[in-house]
Amino acid sequence: MIALLLALAQDVTVYRVDRLIPIAGDEIENGWVAVERGKIKAFGGADTFAPEEGAAVVELPGLVCMPGIVDAGTPSNAVPVGNEESSEVTPAVRALRLLDPSAPDIQRLRKQGVTTYCISPGSRNVVGGLASVIKLRGRTSEAMTLREDVVLAAAMGRDPSSGNWAPRGFGSPNLYARRPTTRMGVVYEFRRAFLEAKQAREAPSTADDPGTAVLIRALERKLPVRITARRATDIETAIRLARELSLSIQIEGAQEAEAFAEAIRTQKIPVIFHPHVRHDQVGGPEGTEPRLDTFSLLADGSVPVALVGQGVGEGEGPLTMAAYLARFGAKRDAVLKALTLWPAQILGVSDRVGTIEAGRDADLIFLTGDPLQATTRIEAVMIDGQVIEGKLTK
Amino acid sequence: MIAALLLLLQGDAVVLKGGVLHVGDGRLLTGATILIRGGVVEAVGEQIEAPEGAVVVVLPASAHVVPGFIDLHTHLGMAAEQDEPAGPITPHMRAADGYSTDRDDVRAARGSGVTTVALAPGEANLVGGAMSVVRLGDGYLHEALVEPVAAMKLSLGAGALLQGREPTSPAGALALLERELADAGSETHRRLVKEKKPAFVHATTVEAISRALELRTRFGIRLVLLHADAADDAVDAIAAAGVPVVLGPLTMSDDDRTLRRAGLLAGKGVRIGFASDAPVGTEEQLRHSAILAVRHGLGKDAALQAMTSGAAKILGLDALLGTIEAGRAADLVVYDGHPLAPTSRVERVIAGGRTVFERSPK
């Protein structure tokens, strides 16, 4: 409380911790980070510790500080209904307009150390709509927005097809009977949407449709397409479609990516990786045995890989997943980047968040020990210089 | 151990020596040597030296080597998801997009004697989409794919009329199809009229067969008849048009009329091929269909060609597949006896030059 008051009263606050993990650069024992008006002003080790006059110094013995987690898409209820199911192709739907700033999940995510979050349409549509990046603070979606409409969300395989049945006897597709019903049909709808957008681009009078305009931006590679693809066959399909339609893609899910890890790396396809730790997580009758090395095969540094949690409130937040993957051989440097810098790069916000560097937003988390230790607790979460969860007093 | 060694050396040359070689076009060679390298048959003959490092497989005199069989219509590996009634005309649908190589039915099919399949969309749409030819190898689709758009699947069957949208009658179906074929800007027109991709038309009744033949005359499409249960009653028209017919799967419980159809059509000079129509049948059943057809009047040579060179011709891929000759894809199967003897078993399957099945020793 006192520290908070001091932070409000003075321009510069310096936090001294046992260890600072800046991500940009080596970890620093006995490090410090100076925060000024919501931004990181400077950071360093004991040798460079010389707080300027008037700066408040907050001593945090025993704590470890790292950048707030940038979560590229842990499933959450902050988006109450993530899918506009009236059609299987809804490129103009914006997930930001589904955001509920008062949703309890926002606080739950913060408590898991997440400070920046990508709010995305669900994967029930072949082309679901536009995802945006938000900061987990603020009372309105406008106040929370960091960057709007960063990617177009799409999905392959069973996500958009299972449970659907053909509108036979219903007359037309509706909420109870909707397309597509097959893996082949999913690709067909995807291909058809983009081929029609291509035609519309050549005859611009029809390009007024906002959905078509979004698809055209994707065709012009101005908007990446994030394709949810879990099984190997769906990942292969996503890569094939990217080449066929000349799209800039990202792959989300990627639980069975091992067979295509090399292709993903050499073609520089960013991955939003959903750890596959339970055999049933790939989905229904197609569930396969989890492989624990997939992350490491992808995350050799040649392409950014983002790590997300398994669901808010289940205790399996991004940090837990990182610890889990580290336990099975993932490199420390890679899992920590996959929580911070890499997702920030994938989302196009690495100039603002993802590392501790001068000029970045002061989005920091303070932990009671090493971030990859199961016994470590998050003591406090700071967004834009404000301690928003927990407290930093002794 | 030997299998592991073979796997290691699959990139290199393989030599098969001995046995009875069915070239696939009716020719028989005894005691010949086949040299396989880089996924293709490099040479066939008697005076062929095995290159250094080649895996040499010496076959007993009783073994028969045949070109890998070609299944002309199947939904293998598609998880029974061949029907996507997204609309009556869906030429951009592509069967390969629904195919997963890592499914149990695909794994099981590698030992069936079929090495190449024409995957097809179902019969729910008038123009169902592209049929894709894939090889039953051991990799993912990019390795398995022979031709993503080998042919187009069309349906004049009842299935296309029951989808709760247009068309609801055979008359409506025909009107829609004719309009589509006539539209020079349509994908259907491009594939069937301009590119002359084979049109596999599901046409069960005499009426449907007659309409399909009419479309062929009117638009100059390369017609192939599928599920033509009434072909017997239209055999002269089919023969006169020179249109191939794809049959099967045949089972022991089929009536005589069905079982005699292959022999009847072939006797009139009609080119025939076989289909498993999996999951209706299995890939294993392709050969059983041919055996049953032979039992009911089809010549043995004709039966073998229907599964090999003849099938490749129907697909328009005969420069690539269907015979064991220099320059053709190395898709071949070793049987422990005559391939049309019901007691014969598959001993080894080479697909795209790679050994994808080998019977384990007892």
Side-chain angles (χ1 to χ4, degrees), chain A residues 26 41 85 94 109 158-159 164 215 217 225-226 240 249-250 275 330 332 358 360 375 388 392:
Chain A
D26 294 338
K41 191 178 187 202
E85 297 215 13
R94 305 176 69 221
L109 276 164
R158 290 206 161 240
D159 279 53
N164 293 350
L215 295 171
R217 276 177 61 215
V225 183
R226 178 192 292 183
R240 186 168 71 248
I249 65 160
Q250 306 172 351
R332 175 184 181 82
R360 296 283 187 276
T375 50
I388 207 157
L392 285 179

Side-chain angles (χ1 to χ4, degrees), chain A residues 68-74 114-120 130-135 146-153 222-224 226 250 252 270-272 304-308 338-354:
Chain A
I69 292 168
V70 181
D71 186 327
T74 294
V114 177
T115 53
T116 300
Y117 182 71
C118 178
I119 186 161
S120 175
L130 294 158
S132 291
V133 188
I134 58 171
K135 286 281 199 88
L146 179 58
R147 194 170 164 231
E148 288 182 64
D149 303 343
V150 290
V151 294
L152 177 61
K222 290 173 185 158
L223 178 70
R226 178 192 292 183
Q250 306 172 351
E252 176 158 10
V271 176
I272 295 90
V305 179
L307 189 55
V308 306
L339 293 174
T340 53
L341 174 61
W342 286 339
Q345 288 174 339
I346 292 173
L347 299 171
V349 291
S350 59
D351 57 333
R352 292 283 300 274
V353 298

Side-chain angles (χ1 to χ4, degrees), chain B:
Chain B
M1 184 61 194
I2 291 165
L5 193 66
L6 269 176
L7 275 173
L8 273 176
L9 295 170
Q10 265 171 11
D12 292 327
V14 179
V15 169
L16 293 185
K17 277 177 115 98
V20 180
L21 170 62
H22 299 254
V23 176
D25 55 6
R27 281 181 291 157
L28 272 184
L29 305 172
T30 307
T33 298
I34 308 165
L35 169 59
I36 294 162
R37 192 147 50 183
V40 296
V41 174
E42 195 170 296
V44 180
E46 283 173 18
Q47 309 293 328
I48 290 170
E49 290 289 310
E52 201 166 330
V55 175
V56 179
V57 181
V58 179
L59 302 173
S62 57
H64 285 244
V65 184
V66 295
F69 296 143
I70 300 169
D71 182 349
L72 284 173
H73 184 265
T74 181
H75 313 300
L76 182 78
M78 296 176 75
E81 290 185 349
Q82 63 270 19
D83 278 321
E84 179 64 59
I89 310 284
T90 56
H92 290 105
M93 197 82 73
R94 200 171 283 189
D97 289 331
Y99 182 66
S100 301
T101 55
D102 55 356
R103 297 190 63 86
D104 285 344
D105 56 342
V106 177
R107 277 187 280 271
R110 279 175 206 149
S112 68
V114 173
T115 58
T116 315
V117 299
L119 298 170
E123 51 160 319
N125 306 338
L126 296 179
V127 178
M131 291 172 61
S132 309
V133 173
V134 300
R135 184 172 279 125
L136 301 180
D138 50 4
Y140 283 93
L141 185 63
H142 64 285
E143 293 169 85
L145 202 54
V146 176
E147 182 58 58
V149 185
M152 298 297 282
K153 170 76 182 283
L154 279 70
S155 172
L156 291 176
L161 310 178
L162 299 170
Q163 304 299 335
R165 42 106 167 119
E166 65 166 348
T168 61
S169 68
L174 209 68
L176 248 177
L177 204 50
E178 283 173 349
R179 193 183 71 193
E180 192 66 14
L181 282 163
D183 176 1
S186 77
E187 177 75 359
T188 308
H189 181 92
R190 176 164 86 98
R191 296 297 192 191
L192 295 181
V193 180
K194 285 190 196 135
E195 295 178 5
K196 294 271 183 265
K197 299 275 185 196
F200 282 63
V201 180
H202 176 123
T204 315
T205 61
V206 176
E207 251 327 284
I209 291 170
S210 304
R211 297 293 77 77
L213 289 169
E214 213 170 80
L215 289 174
R216 174 187 166 274
T217 313
R218 184 166 158 204
F219 295 102
I221 62 174
R222 229 175 97 191
L223 177 66
V224 179
L225 290 169
L226 191 65
H227 301 305
D229 295 345
D232 318 35
D233 298 328
V235 63
D236 291 327
I238 294 169
V243 167
V245 178
V246 176
L247 302 153
L250 302 178
T251 69
M252 301 273 272
S253 53
D254 282 329
D255 57 24
D256 280 2
R257 185 178 148 89
T258 303
L259 294 168
R260 285 186 192 133
R261 190 166 298 131
L264 173 76
L265 290 166
K268 294 274 187 175
V270 174
R271 184 178 296 291
I272 57 162
F274 288 102
S276 73
D277 206 21
V280 176
T282 62
E283 297 306 325
E284 184 79 20
Q285 237 172 301
L286 195 84
R287 182 174 77 108
H288 297 173
S289 297
I291 289 170
L292 285 169
V294 168
R295 191 183 293 173
H296 291 85
L298 182 66
K300 276 191 177 183
D301 264 356
L304 275 178
Q305 286 179 49
M307 292 189 289
T308 56
S309 62
K313 282 180 184 147
I314 290 174
L315 287 170
L317 295 174
D318 46 313
L320 192 68
L321 309 169
T323 59
I324 302 175
E325 289 180 282
R328 297 287 198 281
D331 300 333
L332 44 91
V333 182
V334 180
Y335 280 93
D336 63 357
H338 192 282
L340 292 175
T343 50
S344 296
R345 294 196 312 182
V346 173
E347 288 293 324
R348 178 187 297 273
V349 178
I350 295 175
R354 288 149 70 117
T355 302
V356 296
F357 175 84
E358 199 185 350
R359 185 167 298 286
S360 45
K362 283 132 221 140

